[in-house]
Amino acid sequence: MPSLLQTTIAGSLPKPAWLASPGQLWAPWLLEGERLAEGKRDAVRLALYDQERAGIDIVTDGEQTRRHFVTTLIESLDGVDFQHKKTVRIRSRYDADVPVVVGPVVRRHPVFAEDARFLRGATQRNIKYTLPGPMTMVDTLYDAYYGSREKLAWAFAGILNDEARAIEAAGVDVIQFDEPAFNVYFDEVRDWGIAALERAAHGLTCATAVHICYGYGIKANIEWKKTLGAEWRQYENTFPLLARSKIAQVSLECSNSHVPLELIALLQGKDVLVGAIDVATDRVESAEDVAATIRGALKYVPAERIYPCTNCGMVPLSREVARAKLEALGAGAALVRHELGS
């Protein structure tokens, strides 16, 4: 593994067409029973192969065993009704039918620990496992029990901490909490969001990360981005708070966005996962495109703290496009490493 500019991805990769329908979030499984279990394992192996071949240093399972980055965890909890859904506005952007919290949310058993163990045994590289953050979990449900987004978030934070500890015990090197909601609810981030995130990561000895972005490359997110103007300065609200937090790494969106790169200087003392791959387009970046984004980040963050990454998950893309983007990420980082003499 290189000593500088170690590459990684935000988390998800597209699933094989024999496992789930391509290009869809919440795509139903196309296999059942033991065939599904075997198919998930095979899909993880393929995701690892694609990452390793492309030169990705800190790999993930591509979230191949999960239908969705938030609801797969929630499906395993008591207190949530998936049969009688309610329509809510997701991150002030689009309407969705979501499960309803009808009682105390409780985790009875580890959810992802076995998957994490399989991932650990399938690669020699450092591995990252992703979990939803407390605020984003709250924003993906209708609450008919707690009556307070903050109270529900704290309940989820405790559950996430138990789950993260089980995943860490499986040999994971980095645990990342996905909090796209941090780019929307700035008052809540300040008042309780950071504290709930720290509760979720409490006591972990592996590296901890939080991923904040402008969303998957789906129509609702693309249309929302068009309303944000010439400069996207949402990170300006959250980065100073995260700089003072106990979370070690921050994953953000930079490529083909209107985020002023100088904002990452607000993350002084943190590792910065610089999004150098745009997940909202099928256009494949060149190695030089990726290198240019990394060079820009180097003006504000020391090289030893930069981890070239993707803007967000790539699950809505085709596998061919995702593979090509992975290769561009690996090649672009290698270019800049060579320039730095590493």
Side-chain angles (χ1 to χ4, degrees):
M1 181 180 293
S3 58
L4 288 180
L5 304 181
Q6 295 174 19
T7 52
T8 188
I9 65 172
S12 71
L13 290 169
K15 296 179 176 68
W18 43 260
L19 182 62
S21 297
Q24 296 182 31
L25 303 184
W26 291 287
W29 300 119
L30 300 179
L31 303 173
E32 297 180 355
E34 181 52 39
R35 290 182 64 204
L36 175 58
E38 182 180 13
K40 288 179 179 179
R41 292 191 293 270
D42 287 345
V44 171
R45 293 186 182 100
L46 289 172
L48 289 171
Y49 174 81
D50 287 342
Q51 290 172 84
E52 293 177 358
R53 185 172 179 272
I56 305 304
D57 302 301
I58 303 168
V59 296
T60 81
D61 64 354
E63 299 180 6
Q64 299 295 296
T65 64
R66 291 170 265 181
R67 285 187 61 199
H68 187 263
F69 80 105
V70 180
T71 54
T72 299
L73 175 61
I74 297 173
E75 285 171 351
S76 299
L77 306 180
D78 292 351
V80 184
D81 180 1
F82 275 78
Q83 300 302 313
H84 305 93
K85 295 183 177 181
K86 297 277 190 178
T87 302
V88 302
R89 194 77 172 164
I90 302 293
R91 289 189 283 287
S92 303
R93 216 168 302 167
Y94 57 93
D95 292 331
D97 293 332
V98 301
V100 179
V101 179
V102 295
V105 288
V106 177
R107 169 185 174 273
R108 299 292 183 188
H109 53 79
V111 180
F112 298 130
E114 283 301 319
D115 292 336
R117 270 189 281 275
F118 178 81
L119 176 64
R120 176 66 286 165
T123 181
Q124 297 300 311
R125 302 202 179 189
N126 284 357
I127 58 174
K128 177 168 73 175
Y129 210 90
T130 58
L131 291 171
M135 182 179 289
T136 297
M137 292 178 74
V138 168
D139 201 49
T140 317
L141 295 167
Y142 181 90
D143 175 28
Y145 179 78
Y146 286 86
S148 162
R149 283 168 61 89
E150 179 178 358
K151 289 179 181 177
L152 180 55
W154 279 103
F156 281 142
I159 288 170
L160 285 166
N161 187 246
D162 291 340
E163 186 66 20
R165 287 171 183 260
I167 290 169
E168 179 183 56
V172 169
D173 301 288
V174 183
I175 292 178
Q176 174 182 292
F177 299 93
D178 295 333
E179 282 286 25
F182 273 23
N183 251 2
V184 180
Y185 306 110
F186 305 117
D187 290 346
E188 290 184 325
V189 172
R190 178 197 64 218
D191 293 344
W192 53 263
I194 298 289
L197 176 63
E198 289 183 320
R199 171 68 182 91
H202 178 71
L204 296 176
T205 58
C206 66
T208 57
V210 60
H211 172 64
I212 311 172
C213 65
Y214 293 82
Y216 285 131
I218 59 175
K219 184 176 185 296
N221 292 333
I222 294 170
E223 291 301 315
W224 175 63
K225 291 180 184 184
K226 293 177 182 178
T227 71
L228 298 180
E231 282 195 337
W232 302 353
R233 303 194 70 91
Q234 286 76 12
Y235 288 140
E236 202 166 28
N237 294 276
T238 50
F239 283 178
L241 301 172
L242 284 168
R244 297 193 294 270
S245 77
K246 297 176 183 177
I247 303 301
Q249 303 181 345
V250 180
S251 169
L252 64 145
E253 180 169 330
C254 295
S255 176
N256 197 29
S257 73
H258 300 297
V259 174
L261 260 182
E262 65 265 21
L263 294 183
I264 64 177
L266 297 172
L267 290 168
Q268 187 173 6
K270 300 299 180 186
D271 293 339
V272 181
L273 279 60
V274 175
I277 294 292
D278 182 6
V279 301
T281 177
D282 285 342
R283 186 189 77 83
V284 176
E285 292 81 357
S286 67
E288 181 54 38
D289 290 334
V290 172
T293 301
I294 298 169
R295 292 187 198 109
L298 283 167
K299 297 176 183 178
Y300 307 102
V301 179
E304 60 270 19
R305 288 198 173 276
I306 290 179
Y307 292 75
C309 190
T310 56
N311 278 359
C312 187
M314 293 200 284
V315 64
L317 298 174
S318 73
R319 295 180 72 202
E320 179 182 8
V321 167
R323 278 193 291 263
K325 285 177 175 283
L326 288 174
E327 291 169 3
L329 179 60
L335 277 178
V336 183
R337 274 191 221 110
H338 178 74
E339 293 167 4
L340 295 174
S342 173

